[in-house]
Amino acid sequence: MYRSYTCGELRSSDINKEVVLAGWVQRSRKMGGMTFIDLRDRYGITQLVFNEEVNPELCEQANKLGREYVIQIKGVVNERFNKNEHIPTGDIEIIVSELKVLNAASTPPFTIEDNTDGGEDIRMKYRYLDLRRNAVRSNLELRHKMTIEVRKFLDDLGFLEVETPILIGSTPEGARDFVVPSRMNPGQFYALPQSPQLFKQLLMVSGFDRYFQIAKCFRDEDLRADRQPEFTQIDCEMSFVDQEDVLSTFEGMAKHLFKSIRNIEITEQFPRMAWADAMKYYGSDKPDIRFDMRFVELMDIMKGHGFPVFDSAEYIGGICAEGAASYTRKQLDALTEFVKRPQIGAKGMVYARIEADGTVKSSVDKFYTQEVLQQMKEAFGAKPGDLILILSGDDAMKTRKQLNELRLEMGSQLGLRDKNTFACLWIVDFPLFEWDEETGRFMAMHHPFTSPKPEDIELLDTDPGKVRANAYDMVINGVEVGGGSIRIHDSELQNKMFTLLGFTPERAQEQFGFLMDAFKFGAPPHGGLAYGLDRWVSLFAGLDSIRDCIAFPKNNSGRDVMTDAPAPLDPAQLEELNLTIGLDA
Amino acid sequence: MYRSYTCGELRSSDINKEVVLAGWVQRSRKMGGMTFIDLRDRYGITQLVFNEEVNPELCEQANKLGREYVIQIKGVVNERFNKNEHIPTGDIEIIVSELKVLNAASTPPFTIEDNTDGGEDIRMKYRYLDLRRNAVRSNLELRHKMTIEVRKFLDDLGFLEVETPILIGSTPEGARDFVVPSRMNPGQFYALPQSPQLFKQLLMVSGFDRYFQIAKCFRDEDLRADRQPEFTQIDCEMSFVDQEDVLSTFEGMAKHLFKSIRNIEITEQFPRMAWADAMKYYGSDKPDIRFDMRFVELMDIMKGHGFPVFDSAEYIGGICAEGAASYTRKQLDALTEFVKRPQIGAKGMVYARIEADGTVKSSVDKFYTQEVLQQMKEAFGAKPGDLILILSGDDAMKTRKQLNELRLEMGSQLGLRDKNTFACLWIVDFPLFEWDEETGRFMAMHHPFTSPKPEDIELLDTDPGKVRANAYDMVINGVEVGGGSIRIHDSELQNKMFTLLGFTPERAQEQFGFLMDAFKFGAPPHGGLAYGLDRWVSLFAGLDSIRDCIAFPKNNSGRDVMTDAPAPLDPAQLEELNLTIGLDA
């Protein structure tokens, strides 16, 4: 062992001990014949002292050490004259008697500090240096702690962690698969799993009763800030349960994580919101309910008064931003620009201030009497000093989504989205299908194994669009942290689903034959849920992107810029796989 | 919830309780107006009772239930008249009042019993039914428990579990990679990791200090009984350590697993054996030391006495099988056939019995005087009743390997390889290189990042074949359960290794440039180890193949016969990937 203590360990009770430490040179400074070095490792920082008078040679050596040199020292623990209250080792320092350079270091391309001078690109290229920063490493320590707690919680409840395969068959449903050519089966391919869905259902057929897995999943999608080609799910499934059992089990897990990781005790039940209400009141299936600011629909009040934009609208709705009547014209113009951005796509925005005397002053005053405007005010329950913002459009769903963006923006501007406040919510009663304009057919909103609500099964034949699913998502602070469903366990109902989803019997058999077969041998009722680990960690760490809680993430082109992967293959490797790049017509 | 208790939970203290159970029909039998059904779930079996006199309709329903039907029942716990001492619920039964069929079941293609009538192939095709068998499921329960204990042990020591990527760059060193075409980077490929080796070393450069991961690894090799294309490693790395630190940490982990999983307390230190001794005395780098039967070399004693086979040999050596002098001619002939099998390749075998009077009776008596045979007997320390078996050949290493096979076979025949006896061992002092006849150059015996022993570094320039590595394997009962090394942390030494291994500087830079770069920014001394999880589980479960401790294994052609993967791709998918199957010259 190269050390007797770590750099985070020594305290005043250790004074006068002879110790050996090893670590990285964080910084050094000379002061009146003394050289002070901050020695860093994962566990902390300890101050080393070299005295020019006592040992000029050693001090000279110390003066030559550069940032990030790896050194080993021997010395005696001494009480510090100027104590540092900001670090746990701040009461002591080491009077060094021996120094050994274990490895020299070139000057790093950015500073290894919480507030580094390195930009995103250079930090990704030298990710191994970026990971030296406390801010990044602590995210991964949190991630480790969360998986320990997840496993503890589930193991205590009798869940078994079972590894399902990474090399599986490809299923064209859902997102695009990554595929792996099989050398031993020329012309054939494995796929990497988008989730262990089919295997966990098979484990229920096998009687495993309670399964979980912290599982790598893969999707070949065009990437966004919060997507990675590989990501990690806490994947769970239970038998002989209904929706209520699954919700209470995984609400329990969420509460356990809040308590064990963030020391937040949540005693009350999480609120539940029907999907239809979430869309109606928040324009989103993952509303951020840290703040209220619900949508109020205004068709009855505002339509038909001569304002052409509203008169031709299929939806008029708004939000009331408490206390924001003081917004300047410039701020309001900026909000209008915000909703008109192509990513949001609104045509414009109407606003109305509630004056101190209760009158309403709006941007469309010439079309509305004060009486109508007062009705509107009442609809919002608005008070003097509040600001009302209204959008309209010819497609209710689209307009609601625009209003959702505006609501979130206002929440941010008014400081209502504190990262250390957490608002948890279940979204339930999802539609089983959504209509796909492009293909002109119904698609599964979750996946084709989701069970309809028993009371809605009759509607499958008459009005499939109205069928609700036994499906649920958990949303925290506007982030979907997980979701799942009760599954179909009856092979006839499953076949009916495939038919409704446009599968021919042959294709259903080809794709999911083994699952259909399995269901014939006694499948128990079952259901489950998958939590996104990356998202949970980001949420608890207060990160804006999941990238910072992943040790070696990919960039937006799916590249690892550190190792420069992917890369062209050796031609011999391609030949062995019986593959050619490019198409020969 | 479909049940108030599991099928393994009720005891005599629950008598008279009204309960709801759910599970699978294991078996049913009729006896004098009564129908008895064994209801099974993961937790156990509970006997259900239906009385024809009390409720003829219900009993009739029960009589119609087939094997593996999924049912739910309500009833009252009753004391059993004929108690079954073999199962924990054997004191009670349930007098059923309500019965609901949750799912019917076709007759399974094999019996769901510990001793099933199903062969390997059909059980793999219906793996989800095979997994219902206690014998298979208990292996996976053991696997779950082992990973819990592994994580507990490592977490307590401050190891952080860090997920490293599955989509990485390809490295032609080592075994063959599985590759993944990148749609977003046409013509380029990711590879699946053969191990997280490079990433864990980078984490040490990052100052993570103690890393572990229970990690999926992939090798595109032709498969054998104990190989799978994907397998699981307990992958570990530590900083500021020497070999002794790594050995003691992971010997500690092995002892923790023996204690927590098998309740075996191992207090003494594991023996350590130099690689050269393992080869010399056991002809294997993973000797099974549950029994002694070390090789004795006989060149000095047996060569040059006129027996042409031995006189022309480069190696003569044998083993002494205690008490096996009673082996018949037929048994000895079978052993000769055994060593002559092409997989082993010996030309023949010489044997010698020690008679009751101490004289030696051998198959080559006409070439040797009793005096020489007595010298041989002394060399083995053989006693009356022992059997000596001797092989010879013109290549010492090859002959030792043949003798290893014979030794293991004799160990099995004499009952010296009990699955519930465990003999642990470290193999140390591996050669750094092995000479590859085919390419005519040195290859890394472990991998190119393995550190030479400091005292052997000088030999790198003069006699590379003699350089020993700071590398180690843990062997239990003849199975290599793990191995590792102290790594090179100095970029100059690493470059020298690459040169010795025949890399041009350009190729070394192309392949491992990011690691070399990383080493320039202050790499700590570090080393680690990887345990094979599948092998540990097999060992503790007493399995012959790792396949039975994997939920969904592949067969010897790398196929999952249950889901029929791999399979041809949709042409559109290939097109999107810019790939063509087959070579266009």
Side-chain angles (χ1 to χ4, degrees):
Chain A
M1 194 63 92
Y2 284 75
R3 64 189 175 206
S4 58
Y5 292 87
T6 71
C7 297
E9 210 171 352
L10 294 168
R11 299 288 182 274
S12 29
S13 56
D14 298 303
I15 285 167
N16 292 327
K17 276 189 192 158
E18 181 162 89
V19 298
V20 181
L21 299 185
W24 286 261
V25 172
Q26 176 73 20
R27 64 178 71 81
S28 69
R29 56 193 187 285
K30 291 183 68 166
M31 259 171 69
M34 311 283 274
T35 296
F36 297 93
I37 287 183
D38 281 352
L39 189 68
R40 186 197 73 229
D41 66 12
R42 182 184 122 199
Y43 311 95
I45 281 183
T46 298
Q47 177 167 293
L48 312 179
V49 185
F50 300 82
N51 190 327
E52 203 177 343
E53 271 181 38
V54 177
N55 193 334
E57 206 179 325
L58 192 68
C59 198
E60 180 59 27
Q61 275 181 53
N63 289 336
K64 284 187 187 144
L65 297 173
R67 275 203 286 141
E68 302 303 317
Y69 270 51
V70 186
I71 62 170
Q72 182 189 36
I73 60 99
K74 187 184 271 188
V76 172
V77 183
N78 187 45
E79 182 166 7
R80 236 163 116 160
F81 183 71
N82 285 316
K83 300 201 166 46
N84 180 345
E85 286 173 11
H86 302 297
I87 57 172
T89 60
D91 287 351
I92 59 97
E93 61 191 4
I94 313 293
I95 310 293
V96 178
S97 56
E98 286 176 37
L99 164 66
K100 190 176 172 187
V101 174
L102 297 174
N103 222 335
S106 305
T107 306
F110 51 87
T111 55
I112 311 298
E113 305 277 358
D114 285 0
N115 291 310
T116 180
D117 56 0
E120 168 97 4
D121 289 351
I122 192 108
R123 287 192 291 113
M124 283 301 143
K125 181 161 168 55
Y126 297 93
R127 181 64 165 173
Y128 45 85
L129 296 179
D130 199 30
L131 287 169
R132 283 189 190 165
R133 296 167 55 230
N134 279 323
V136 183
R137 200 197 53 242
S138 63
N139 296 335
L140 291 162
E141 287 174 348
L142 179 74
R143 188 180 180 110
H144 164 77
K145 198 172 166 205
M146 283 193 66
T147 58
I148 292 279
E149 290 298 333
V150 164
R151 288 190 165 96
K152 187 169 141 50
F153 180 85
L154 292 171
D155 181 51
D156 284 349
L157 289 181
F159 283 80
L160 294 174
E161 186 162 25
V162 180
E163 291 176 65
T164 55
I166 297 289
L167 297 169
I168 68 168
S170 184
T171 50
E173 276 298 287
R176 209 181 280 108
D177 282 331
F178 281 106
V179 298
V180 181
S182 167
R183 181 183 52 89
M184 291 211 273
N185 302 274
Q188 301 193 13
F189 291 77
Y190 302 99
L192 305 182
Q194 296 183 29
S195 86
Q197 184 65 32
L198 293 171
F199 289 97
K200 72 176 175 176
Q201 292 196 242
L202 289 173
L203 285 171
M204 293 304 104
V205 174
S206 298
F208 270 61
D209 206 73
R210 294 180 164 208
Y211 144 93
F212 83 101
Q213 185 182 192
I214 300 188
K216 267 285 170 80
C217 303
F218 305 85
R219 276 180 207 165
D220 185 10
E221 291 178 304
D222 302 317
L223 305 173
R224 289 185 273 132
D226 61 341
R227 288 271 173 86
Q228 284 278 315
E230 50 182 301
F231 55 98
T232 306
Q233 271 185 201
I234 305 168
D235 191 52
C236 306
E237 196 79 2
M238 309 168 76
S239 288
F240 299 115
V241 290
D242 51 35
Q243 175 166 316
E244 201 51 46
D245 301 316
V246 180
L247 295 190
S248 79
T249 303
F250 293 100
E251 186 167 317
M253 181 160 127
K255 286 173 177 170
H256 175 77
L257 291 176
F258 270 105
K259 178 69 190 150
S260 58
I261 304 293
R262 291 288 310 237
N263 199 27
I264 295 172
E265 187 106 41
I266 305 177
T267 48
E268 64 277 24
Q269 216 193 30
F270 291 178
R272 296 182 188 182
M273 192 184 292
W275 177 86
D277 287 339
M279 299 312 293
K280 181 173 165 140
Y281 295 118
Y282 299 95
S284 167
D285 57 4
K286 39 180 195 280
D288 182 350
I289 58 163
R290 275 175 296 185
F291 61 108
D292 192 28
M293 217 186 276
R294 285 180 165 218
F295 298 179
V296 172
E297 293 195 10
L298 302 167
M299 290 286 278
D300 291 349
I301 300 171
M302 306 289 280
K303 194 168 175 165
H305 293 269
F307 178 41
V309 175
F310 283 3
D311 287 356
S312 66
E314 291 298 314
Y315 177 87
I316 309 167
I319 53 175
C320 174
E322 252 188 278
S326 58
Y327 260 49
T328 62
R329 181 61 196 253
K330 199 175 158 193
Q331 284 175 299
L332 290 164
D333 285 349
L335 283 178
T336 306
E337 285 314 303
F338 173 81
V339 296
K340 286 167 83 176
R341 287 161 51 192
Q343 306 94 303
I344 299 182
K347 294 240 169 60
M349 184 186 79
V350 166
Y351 61 85
R353 293 192 182 91
I354 317 297
E355 306 285 343
D357 62 1
T359 58
V360 177
K361 184 88 195 73
S362 87
S363 56
V364 287
D365 274 3
K366 62 176 163 179
F367 299 107
Y368 294 94
T369 62
Q370 187 62 220
E371 195 192 340
V372 175
L373 293 174
Q374 286 296 325
Q375 282 175 34
M376 178 191 79
K377 183 179 96 175
E378 293 306 316
F380 283 103
K383 311 176 307 296
D386 291 353
L387 175 70
I388 290 169
L389 303 171
I390 304 172
L391 298 183
S392 66
D394 51 13
D395 179 318
M397 253 341 172
K398 273 190 192 157
T399 311
R400 284 188 182 117
K401 284 178 184 170
Q402 294 159 357
L403 197 50
N404 166 52
E405 298 292 341
L406 180 61
R407 175 181 175 272
L408 293 176
E409 175 63 21
M410 285 309 294
S412 296
Q413 290 194 10
L414 298 175
L416 304 172
R417 303 178 75 193
D418 173 22
K419 282 183 174 172
N420 292 310
T421 301
F422 297 95
C424 307
L425 171 73
W426 286 108
I427 302 292
V428 295
D429 298 348
F430 280 84
L432 187 60
F433 302 103
E434 53 189 343
W435 183 257
D436 185 52
E437 295 289 348
E438 209 173 304
T439 56
R441 63 175 177 87
F442 281 113
M443 308 279 272
M445 191 144 188
H446 275 71
H447 54 58
F449 316 109
T450 303
S451 174
K453 286 201 173 290
E455 60 268 34
D456 290 358
I457 284 182
E458 283 187 2
L459 293 169
L460 282 175
D461 295 316
T462 55
D463 193 354
K466 282 244 170 72
V467 178
R468 290 164 309 158
N470 268 332
Y472 32 80
D473 277 356
M474 186 184 283
V475 174
I476 304 182
N477 294 2
V479 175
E480 181 207 320
V481 294
S485 63
I486 298 299
R487 328 298 182 183
I488 297 168
H489 66 280
D490 176 78
S491 55
E492 271 185 49
L493 183 56
Q494 186 65 68
N495 277 330
K496 180 166 211 159
M497 275 295 286
F498 285 138
T499 308
L500 282 165
L501 291 168
F503 283 80
T504 60
E506 295 71 33
R507 225 181 108 235
Q509 182 61 33
E510 191 189 309
Q511 293 284 317
F512 303 111
F514 60 96
L515 188 72
M516 297 299 89
D517 287 349
F519 279 4
K520 289 179 190 144
F521 293 106
H526 61 289
L529 172 142
Y531 276 136
L533 177 63
D534 308 291
R535 290 193 186 165
W536 270 99
V537 179
S538 302
L539 199 74
F540 279 175
L543 303 174
D544 295 318
S545 159
I546 61 168
R547 211 174 284 179
D548 282 331
C549 69
I550 295 172
F552 299 102
K554 308 266 191 303
N555 73 8
N556 282 344
S557 318
R559 294 197 72 81
D560 178 342
V561 294
M562 179 186 70
T563 62
D564 201 24
L569 275 195
D570 204 274
Q573 246 171 313
L574 274 178
E575 194 170 329
E576 224 176 13
L577 293 169
N578 194 34
L579 286 179
T580 310
I581 291 176
L583 295 165
D584 51 2
Chain B
M1 193 64 92
Y2 283 74
R3 64 189 175 205
S4 58
Y5 292 86
T6 71
C7 296
E9 208 171 353
L10 294 167
R11 300 287 183 273
S12 28
S13 56
D14 299 303
I15 284 167
N16 291 327
K17 276 189 191 158
E18 180 163 88
V19 298
V20 181
L21 299 185
W24 285 262
V25 172
Q26 176 74 20
R27 64 178 71 81
S28 68
R29 55 196 188 285
K30 291 182 68 167
M31 262 172 68
M34 309 283 274
T35 295
F36 297 94
I37 287 184
D38 282 351
L39 189 67
R40 185 197 72 228
D41 65 13
R42 181 183 123 197
Y43 311 95
I45 281 182
T46 298
Q47 177 166 288
L48 311 179
V49 185
F50 300 82
N51 190 328
E52 201 175 346
E53 273 182 34
V54 177
N55 192 335
E57 205 179 324
L58 192 68
C59 197
E60 179 60 24
Q61 277 181 50
N63 288 336
K64 284 186 185 145
L65 298 172
R67 274 204 287 140
E68 301 303 317
Y69 270 52
V70 185
I71 63 170
Q72 181 188 36
I73 61 99
K74 188 185 271 190
V76 171
V77 183
N78 188 46
E79 182 166 10
R80 237 164 115 161
F81 183 71
N82 285 316
K83 298 200 170 45
N84 179 346
E85 287 173 10
H86 301 296
I87 58 173
T89 59
D91 286 352
I92 59 95
E93 62 192 5
I94 313 292
I95 309 293
V96 177
S97 57
E98 287 176 37
L99 164 66
K100 187 175 173 189
V101 174
L102 298 174
N103 223 337
S106 305
T107 307
F110 51 87
T111 55
I112 312 296
E113 305 274 0
D114 284 0
N115 292 309
T116 180
D117 57 0
E120 167 97 3
D121 288 350
I122 191 110
R123 287 191 291 112
M124 283 300 143
K125 182 163 167 55
Y126 298 93
R127 181 65 166 175
Y128 46 85
L129 296 178
D130 199 30
L131 287 168
R132 283 187 190 165
R133 296 166 57 229
N134 280 324
V136 183
R137 200 196 53 242
S138 63
N139 297 336
L140 290 162
E141 287 173 348
L142 180 74
R143 188 180 180 110
H144 164 77
K145 198 173 166 204
M146 283 193 66
T147 59
I148 292 278
E149 290 298 334
V150 164
R151 288 191 166 96
K152 188 169 139 51
F153 180 84
L154 292 172
D155 180 51
D156 284 350
L157 289 182
F159 283 80
L160 294 174
E161 185 161 27
V162 180
E163 291 178 64
T164 55
I166 298 288
L167 297 170
I168 67 168
S170 183
T171 49
E173 275 301 287
R176 209 182 279 106
D177 283 331
F178 282 106
V179 297
V180 181
S182 166
R183 181 182 54 87
M184 288 212 275
N185 302 275
Q188 302 194 14
F189 291 76
Y190 303 99
L192 305 181
Q194 296 184 29
S195 86
Q197 184 65 33
L198 293 172
F199 289 98
K200 72 176 174 177
Q201 292 196 242
L202 289 175
L203 285 171
M204 294 303 105
V205 174
S206 299
F208 271 59
D209 206 73
R210 295 180 163 209
Y211 143 93
F212 83 101
Q213 186 182 191
I214 300 189
K216 267 285 171 77
C217 303
F218 305 85
R219 278 181 206 167
D220 185 10
E221 292 177 304
D222 301 318
L223 305 173
R224 290 183 272 131
D226 61 342
R227 288 271 172 88
Q228 284 279 316
E230 50 182 300
F231 56 97
T232 306
Q233 270 184 202
I234 306 167
D235 192 51
C236 306
E237 197 79 4
M238 309 167 77
S239 288
F240 299 114
V241 291
D242 52 34
Q243 174 166 316
E244 200 53 46
D245 301 316
V246 180
L247 295 190
S248 78
T249 303
F250 293 100
E251 186 167 318
M253 180 160 127
K255 286 173 177 170
H256 175 78
L257 290 175
F258 270 105
K259 178 67 191 154
S260 58
I261 304 294
R262 293 286 312 237
N263 200 25
I264 294 172
E265 186 107 38
I266 306 177
T267 48
E268 64 278 22
Q269 216 194 28
F270 290 180
R272 296 183 188 180
M273 192 184 291
W275 177 86
D277 286 341
M279 298 312 293
K280 180 174 168 131
Y281 294 118
Y282 299 95
S284 167
D285 57 4
K286 39 179 194 282
D288 182 350
I289 59 163
R290 276 175 294 186
F291 62 107
D292 193 28
M293 218 186 273
R294 285 179 165 221
F295 297 178
V296 172
E297 293 195 10
L298 301 167
M299 290 286 279
D300 291 350
I301 300 171
M302 305 290 278
K303 193 165 175 167
H305 292 269
F307 177 43
V309 174
F310 283 3
D311 287 355
S312 67
E314 291 296 314
Y315 176 87
I316 309 168
I319 52 175
C320 174
E322 253 188 278
S326 57
Y327 260 48
T328 62
R329 180 62 195 251
K330 198 174 157 193
Q331 284 174 299
L332 289 163
D333 286 349
L335 283 179
T336 305
E337 286 313 305
F338 173 81
V339 297
K340 285 166 83 176
R341 288 160 52 192
Q343 305 94 304
I344 298 181
K347 295 240 168 60
M349 184 187 78
V350 166
Y351 61 85
R353 293 192 183 90
I354 318 296
E355 306 283 346
D357 63 0
T359 58
V360 177
K361 185 90 195 75
S362 88
S363 58
V364 287
D365 274 2
K366 62 175 163 176
F367 298 108
Y368 294 94
T369 62
Q370 188 61 220
E371 196 192 340
V372 174
L373 294 174
Q374 287 295 324
Q375 281 174 32
M376 178 190 77
K377 183 179 94 174
E378 294 306 317
F380 284 101
K383 311 174 307 297
D386 291 351
L387 174 69
I388 289 168
L389 303 172
I390 303 172
L391 299 184
S392 66
D394 51 15
D395 179 318
M397 251 344 170
K398 273 191 193 155
T399 312
R400 285 189 182 116
K401 285 177 183 170
Q402 294 160 358
L403 196 52
N404 166 52
E405 298 292 341
L406 180 61
R407 175 180 175 273
L408 292 176
E409 175 63 21
M410 286 309 294
S412 296
Q413 290 194 11
L414 299 174
L416 304 173
R417 303 179 73 193
D418 174 21
K419 281 183 175 173
N420 291 310
T421 301
F422 296 95
C424 307
L425 171 72
W426 287 107
I427 302 292
V428 294
D429 298 347
F430 280 85
L432 186 61
F433 301 104
E434 53 188 344
W435 183 256
D436 186 53
E437 295 288 348
E438 210 172 303
T439 56
R441 65 175 176 88
F442 281 114
M443 308 279 273
M445 192 147 190
H446 277 71
H447 54 59
F449 316 109
T450 304
S451 174
K453 285 199 175 290
E455 60 268 34
D456 289 359
I457 284 184
E458 283 187 2
L459 292 169
L460 282 174
D461 294 316
T462 55
D463 194 354
K466 282 244 170 71
V467 177
R468 291 165 308 157
N470 267 333
Y472 32 81
D473 277 356
M474 185 184 283
V475 174
I476 305 181
N477 293 1
V479 175
E480 181 207 320
V481 293
S485 62
I486 298 299
R487 327 299 180 184
I488 298 169
H489 66 280
D490 176 78
S491 57
E492 270 184 49
L493 183 57
Q494 186 64 69
N495 276 331
K496 181 167 211 159
M497 275 295 286
F498 285 138
T499 308
L500 282 164
L501 292 168
F503 282 81
T504 60
E506 294 71 31
R507 225 179 108 236
Q509 182 61 33
E510 190 189 310
Q511 294 284 316
F512 303 111
F514 60 96
L515 188 72
M516 297 299 88
D517 286 347
F519 279 4
K520 289 179 188 145
F521 293 105
H526 61 287
L529 172 142
Y531 277 135
L533 176 64
D534 308 290
R535 290 194 185 163
W536 270 99
V537 179
S538 302
L539 198 76
F540 277 174
L543 303 174
D544 295 319
S545 159
I546 60 167
R547 210 174 286 178
D548 282 331
C549 68
I550 295 172
F552 300 102
K554 309 265 188 310
N555 74 7
N556 282 344
S557 318
R559 294 198 71 81
D560 177 342
V561 295
M562 178 185 73
T563 61
D564 201 23
L569 274 197
D570 204 275
Q573 246 171 314
L574 273 178
E575 195 171 327
E576 226 177 12
L577 293 168
N578 193 33
L579 286 179
T580 312
I581 291 175
L583 294 167
D584 52 0

